[in-house]
Amino acid sequence: YLKESMFGQLVIGPPGSGKSTYCRAIAHHLIHTIKRDVIIVNLDPANDRPPYEADVDVQSLIEVDEVMERLSLGPNGAILFCMEYIENNLETLKEMVVSKKSYVIFDCPGQVELYTHHSAFRNIVGSMTKWGMQLCVVSLVDSHYCTDPAKFISVLLTSLCSMLHLELPHVNVLSKIDLVDKMGPLAFKLNFYTEVLDLSYLLDELDERVCSKKFIRLNQSLTGLVEDYNLVSFYPLNVQDIGSLHRLCKAVDKANGYVYGELEERTVVGLSQSESGVDLEYDYDKSLQYENR
């Protein structure tokens, strides 16, 4: 058990949601803007070319390609085997991570089943919390799902399942928000999707000419489930916008408790603002220009 708490975030999400890009961007923001000591841990045994230099790489323990070759497994089966292997060799991972004594960003695999119903990742996270690590989950999904009502309902259900399964504070994120207008028009203003407002309006957007009655009833049941729990909401993210990153950073710091810890230097943000001349408050007019479309 650690004498002093370590803080960090577990970055999860399906393939293509921008996890590794976010890890690079948020690490750069924390290091250079907020002046925080940060390390990135590549916890994805299949990510052999991350867009950052990993301080700790799980591929030094196990690699997906080797598992696939030796055990004749497919990519998904190999990932699950790798995570179970890590679960059974946690002391090695602990030595690699804890020795750094830094704020930790974990870049996690893209297999959604790890976060919704498989036990290995949950057990790994549970062990990390027993070490004294204060963690939260940053769950990324591509904002283009907002353009399709049925897909967005699926995203809501997946996000809810992850929150219930992992039992950690969650910050859900709609990534690539700067590209959402290129994916097609949104049926509602952006805050409808980020705040997960009355989902009955979303059901009205399902095309009865294409969708069967059974499919519509299924989505009615799913939206009812999501609304009953009332847990899911999203932060929009544009990794190229420093204000967007900073707003998300503040949400994560509250979720994992960093903002309440002894390590927080409360004057750093103000100093960064005065030195750089950059306004770190989130600019909705700039980054959420789709709000009024």
Side-chain angles (χ1 to χ4, degrees):
Y1 192 84
L2 299 175
K3 292 182 179 179
E4 295 181 358
S5 293
M6 290 178 64
F7 295 86
Q9 51 184 283
L10 298 149
V11 183
I12 70 172
S17 58
K19 296 186 298 297
S20 295
T21 301
Y22 164 77
C23 289
R24 179 184 62 184
I26 198 66
H28 184 274
H29 178 70
L30 290 171
I31 293 170
H32 297 285
T33 304
I34 302 183
K35 311 299 181 185
R36 189 179 299 178
D37 189 14
V38 174
I39 64 170
I40 302 180
V41 177
N42 179 21
L43 205 57
D44 184 355
N47 188 4
D48 56 353
R49 294 182 180 180
Y52 51 78
E53 184 176 349
D55 300 279
V56 176
D57 196 333
V58 76
Q59 290 194 351
S60 63
L61 296 178
I62 190 168
E63 295 183 6
V64 163
D65 291 341
E66 183 178 355
V67 171
M68 291 174 62
E69 182 178 350
R70 290 191 177 187
L71 302 181
S72 299
L73 293 173
N76 285 348
I79 284 286
L80 296 180
F81 179 90
C82 289
M83 300 312 291
E84 291 171 354
Y85 178 87
I86 295 170
E87 178 189 358
N88 294 322
N89 293 272
L90 278 174
E91 283 303 314
T92 304
L93 179 65
K94 179 180 178 181
E95 292 174 3
M96 296 167 67
V97 174
V98 170
S99 62
K100 303 293 184 178
K101 299 291 183 183
S102 302
Y103 184 96
V104 189
I105 299 172
F106 293 94
D107 188 2
C108 302
Q111 274 62 29
V112 176
E113 58 265 37
L114 288 171
Y115 317 121
T116 57
H117 58 274
H118 197 270
S119 62
F121 188 79
R122 182 180 62 185
N123 294 338
I124 292 170
V125 170
S127 296
M128 289 179 179
T129 57
K130 291 178 181 178
W131 301 344
M133 299 192 73
Q134 305 294 318
L135 300 169
C136 78
V137 174
V138 178
S139 180
L140 274 67
V141 292
D142 197 316
S143 60
H144 85 266
Y145 290 117
C146 296
T147 62
D148 186 315
K151 289 181 179 178
F152 185 68
I153 292 171
S154 298
V155 164
L156 292 173
L157 183 63
T158 302
S159 299
L160 177 61
C161 288
S162 297
M163 297 175 77
L164 298 177
H165 182 68
L166 296 180
E167 299 180 329
L168 281 176
H170 267 61
V171 178
N172 297 307
V173 178
L174 290 175
S175 63
K176 308 177 187 177
I177 201 66
D178 51 314
L179 302 178
V180 70
D181 61 339
K182 298 180 181 179
M183 309 295 180
L186 297 182
F188 308 100
K189 293 183 178 181
L190 188 61
N191 70 325
F192 176 89
Y193 301 93
T194 56
E195 299 174 22
V196 189
L197 300 177
D198 188 347
L199 296 179
S200 63
Y201 291 103
L202 202 61
L203 293 172
D204 293 338
E205 293 299 314
L206 294 174
D207 192 343
E208 295 184 0
R209 296 170 299 177
V210 178
C211 304
S212 67
K213 292 182 179 179
K214 287 184 178 180
F215 183 76
I216 293 176
R217 288 199 300 269
L218 171 63
N219 280 275
Q220 287 174 337
S221 299
L222 295 179
T223 55
L225 179 65
V226 171
E227 290 182 325
D228 286 345
Y229 275 98
N230 194 28
L231 292 174
V232 184
S233 60
F234 296 93
Y235 282 83
L237 175 66
N238 172 9
V239 295
Q240 298 178 351
D241 184 347
I242 189 173
S244 178
L245 283 170
H246 188 68
R247 179 173 181 265
L248 182 57
C249 178
K250 290 193 291 185
V252 172
D253 281 352
K254 288 182 180 179
N256 63 19
Y258 184 90
V259 72
Y260 308 111
E262 296 178 358
L263 299 176
E264 172 70 343
E265 298 180 14
R266 302 186 185 280
T267 59
V268 158
V269 173
L271 288 172
S272 299
Q273 287 177 322
S274 61
E275 291 175 0
S276 64
V278 175
D279 181 8
L280 295 180
E281 289 302 317
Y282 195 57
D283 186 349
Y284 278 98
D285 292 333
K286 177 181 178 182
S287 297
L288 304 186
Q289 56 186 305
Y290 323 103
E291 182 78 24
N292 295 319
R293 292 187 178 183

